[in-house]
Amino acid sequence: MASKPPVKIPQRPVHPAEKEGGAAVVLERRTQKTKPPTMYQVVMLNDDYTPMEFVVIVIQEFFNKDLETATQIMLKIHLEGRGVCGVYSRDVANTKVDQVMGAANKAGHPLQCVAEPVEIG
Ligand code: TYC
């Protein structure tokens, strides 16, 4: 039976200074770690024309809320003028806005929603 070729074990990269017998280069850990990405809240706005039922369906469908939670969010928007439907990375938040606006336009409702950065600290 033919013998298997030797297995190559990956070696850590060696700095040329080490090979020369010189001191290895030591990188110090940065004190400031990479900051987490800005998150975006998708805020839905009140208007006088979009039916409450439509808003509840949209919140359930695009923000994965159950009927009770969606109804609470809709009522908050209705009473206070605006309400947060969810918090996401920038791309996901913008996609949610597009989905909501697309569904509202298709149904002929003036429903508006926006993505805004979440303040931290
Ligand atoms: N104010 C609307 C009405 O009375 C309901 C509504 C709620 C509309 C939330 C938009 O984001 C909204 N039919």
Side-chain angles (χ1 to χ4, degrees):
M1 199 175 83
S3 62
K4 286 184 190 162
V7 178
K8 212 168 179 199
I9 299 164
Q11 300 291 309
R12 73 171 172 85
V14 179
H15 191 277
E18 274 189 273
K19 289 183 191 155
E20 305 297 324
V25 176
V26 176
L27 297 177
E28 280 178 32
R29 176 185 279 282
R30 282 167 294 173
T31 26
Q32 182 63 55
K33 292 239 181 79
T34 311
K35 60 174 169 40
T38 305
M39 298 299 279
Y40 288 74
Q41 54 188 18
V42 178
V43 178
M44 203 172 281
L45 308 175
N46 188 36
D47 66 72
D48 292 338
Y49 305 103
T50 304
M52 291 183 174
E53 298 75 18
F54 181 82
V55 177
V56 171
I57 289 168
V58 161
I59 295 172
Q60 286 181 95
E61 187 162 320
F62 297 121
F63 300 97
N64 305 313
K65 306 298 187 204
D66 60 30
L67 175 61
E68 194 186 324
T69 307
T71 304
Q72 284 170 0
I73 294 171
M74 183 281 294
L75 284 174
K76 183 182 169 72
I77 302 165
H78 177 71
L79 296 171
E80 298 178 15
R82 51 182 269 146
V84 176
C85 294
V87 178
Y88 308 94
S89 66
R90 188 179 58 189
D91 280 6
V92 174
N94 286 330
T95 299
K96 302 276 179 196
V97 170
D98 290 348
Q99 287 173 327
V100 171
M101 301 294 280
N105 285 339
K106 195 174 161 194
H109 300 311
L111 182 63
Q112 299 287 316
C113 80
V114 294
E116 53 186 47
V118 177
E119 304 287 334
I120 38 170

